[in-house]
Amino acid sequence: MKNMKELSGAYPEELAAEMAALSEKPFRAGQVFAWLQKGASFDEMTNLSRELREKLKAAYVDQPVQLLEKRVSQIDDTVKVLYSLRDGNCVEGVIMHYHYGYTLCISTQVGCAMGCRFCASTLEGCVRNLTAAEMLGQIHWANALLKEKNERIGHVVLMGSGEPLANMQEVVRFLKLVSHPQGLNIGIRHISLSTCGLVPRIYEFADEHLPVTLSLSLHAPNDRIRRQLMPIAERYSIRETLEACKYYLRQTGRRLIIEYALVDGVNADRSCAEELSALLRGIQCHVNLIPLNQVPERHLFGVQETQVQAFLNVLEENHISATRRREMGDDIQGACGQLRKRHLEGLA
Ligand code: SAH
């Protein structure tokens, strides 16, 4: 694989420098930027001369992401996609249809180093960070798939494989490009980023002043339980993690989402709901109860619907805003890392 530059991850001013290096007129940079941000291949850039297109093909990566596989749910409109990258790695994503439009869940790393016990993405560790161009490429493919319905992606969640704050530089570049008025122009307020809670990175990200909705994967009402599920809890306490989140809220004016997967016998009983309510009292947040995608190998099982409801009731009694997250694409390995895992095992 030639080590060529990915032009779609370049800011307009960086593109201008590349065009100058190719002895092209400055206005070409604007044209190329608009095409790249639409996901066009060099051959599709029809308002450029053939000569320039050939120069681009020789020097830069043409579309860094390809579609490997898609699965459409028979239950709902969810589409699970598997993308391949130039180095042979693959990552997955999910297109979800909500009443307000289409949301794409994108991956930020190949694999993940965080080691959460319930998560399939982390089983083989982190292979590498994705580039901003590879994150954008995932949206371009989703838009290509939605084109036949005359629809496009309006919201993005950074909740696929990987820990986005462990790949901060490229994630920030991605956020600035995806919201660029001459690009896909997806509002930053339509984007959510989920983190397991890398405390110093939360502060750094807050200082970028990008009003992204922050989701914290909390999954426990206290450090003892959190340590059973998430190795990151050995490094940072819940108290200091929530402090960092509050700083984020102050800097960005956004609300915090707390992700909480109910695991039978671990974090799902009434006392946990009470403890969680006390912990979150006074914080501008909304709790998303996630049905656990079971991991039988690790003896982690979900709970019955009645238990989810009981947990929700306790939060409501305590005036904590909370909902149960809708299950989507249950029939197509909709959950985190499952499709890639099956692909790697040769089962998909
Ligand atoms: N690394 C980031 C984002 C990726 S995971 C983070 O930790 O937040 C996206 C969400 O899916 C997280 O809330 C994660 O805890 C959750 N998740 C992972 N595996 C899951 C499973 N088996 N069942 C339910 N939720 C899961």
Side-chain angles (χ1 to χ4, degrees):
M1 188 181 70
K2 275 205 286 179
N3 194 15
M4 296 195 291
K5 274 195 203 163
E6 287 171 340
L7 220 46
S8 50
Y11 292 130
E13 58 276 18
E14 292 169 338
L15 258 182
E18 298 292 334
M19 289 303 118
L22 294 176
S23 315
E24 290 290 333
K25 299 230 165 63
F27 78 93
R28 292 288 179 206
Q31 289 178 320
V32 174
F33 182 78
W35 280 118
L36 288 168
Q37 296 305 314
K38 265 193 234 152
S41 69
F42 294 133
D43 276 332
E44 287 165 334
M45 300 184 181
T46 45
N47 58 355
L48 308 183
S49 66
R50 174 180 291 273
E51 191 200 338
L52 173 53
R53 281 184 264 157
E54 292 306 322
K55 276 200 252 180
L56 293 173
K57 274 200 261 181
Y60 304 103
V61 175
D62 202 359
Q63 297 180 313
V65 177
Q66 295 300 326
L67 188 68
L68 197 59
E69 192 188 323
K70 73 165 183 172
R71 289 185 180 191
V72 183
S73 169
Q74 301 304 307
I75 307 172
D76 49 43
D77 206 6
T78 306
V79 183
K80 182 92 211 209
V81 279
L82 193 64
Y83 312 97
S84 63
L85 308 174
R86 289 193 316 131
D87 59 3
N89 277 306
C90 59
V91 290
E92 57 194 277
V94 198
I95 306 173
M96 295 162 287
H97 191 187
Y98 292 102
H99 62 90
Y100 49 77
Y102 285 88
T103 297
L104 179 67
C105 173
I106 71 164
S107 294
T108 55
Q109 295 180 316
V110 179
C112 183
M114 296 298 120
C116 298
R117 312 241 193 278
F118 43 77
C119 182
S121 300
T122 198
L123 292 171
E124 317 288 324
C126 178
V127 179
R128 71 168 172 88
N129 282 335
L130 294 193
T131 61
E134 288 169 329
M135 294 176 217
L136 288 163
Q138 297 173 50
I139 307 185
H140 296 146
W141 269 112
N143 278 337
L145 292 175
L146 290 174
K147 204 167 177 183
E148 60 182 37
K149 294 187 185 154
N150 227 349
E151 295 281 358
R152 62 204 295 267
I153 295 298
H155 291 73
V156 176
V157 295
L158 280 67
M159 286 192 189
S161 70
E163 168 48 51
L165 294 187
N167 182 15
M168 182 102 125
Q169 215 177 337
E170 289 300 304
V171 163
V172 167
R173 181 178 275 274
F174 161 76
L175 292 170
K176 290 181 178 168
L177 286 169
V178 79
S179 57
H180 196 286
Q182 269 83 55
L184 290 171
N185 199 12
I186 297 177
I188 291 280
R189 286 168 190 278
H190 287 187
I191 302 179
S192 298
L193 180 150
S194 181
T195 179
C196 67
L198 297 180
V199 170
R201 299 285 96 76
I202 295 175
Y203 284 103
E204 272 175 53
F205 188 53
D207 290 338
E208 293 283 342
H209 293 282
L210 294 165
V212 169
T213 301
L214 187 68
S215 289
L216 174 68
S217 299
L218 186 62
H219 303 312
N222 61 48
D223 289 323
R224 182 183 56 79
I225 297 180
R226 198 161 191 253
R227 282 195 294 264
Q228 290 173 28
L229 297 171
M230 304 174 72
I232 194 70
E234 307 282 351
R235 216 162 355 135
Y236 305 109
S237 68
I238 291 179
R239 193 186 52 76
E240 58 189 333
T241 307
L242 288 177
E243 269 318 306
C245 292
K246 283 191 217 165
Y247 178 78
Y248 185 86
L249 301 190
R250 284 199 299 277
Q251 293 297 91
T252 60
R254 304 298 284 165
R255 186 165 73 143
L256 179 67
I257 306 287
I258 298 287
E259 306 282 345
Y260 197 106
L262 293 168
V263 188
D264 195 29
V266 178
N267 65 0
D269 65 14
R270 187 181 174 95
S271 67
C272 288
E274 295 284 4
E275 203 177 348
L276 182 66
S277 306
L279 182 70
L280 299 179
R281 195 157 296 140
I283 302 180
Q284 274 279 3
C285 69
H286 177 85
V287 178
N288 231 336
L289 288 184
I290 318 174
L292 181 79
N293 272 291
Q294 324 216 93
V295 195
E297 301 92 312
R298 293 209 163 131
H299 304 285
L300 297 178
F301 300 96
V303 299
Q304 302 290 323
E305 191 52 46
T306 49
Q307 254 178 293
V308 179
Q309 207 46 57
F311 201 95
L312 262 180
N313 290 346
V314 174
L315 296 180
E316 270 162 28
E317 281 160 24
N318 287 296
H319 309 290
I320 302 289
S321 148
T323 39
R324 172 197 202 288
R325 191 200 275 169
R326 196 148 63 92
E327 268 156 298
M328 295 180 106
D330 225 12
D331 54 332
I332 49 167
Q333 266 97 40
C336 339
Q338 290 183 358
L339 187 60
R340 172 169 173 268
K341 182 164 167 268
R342 286 182 67 82
H343 181 80
L344 294 177
E345 288 166 350
L347 297 170

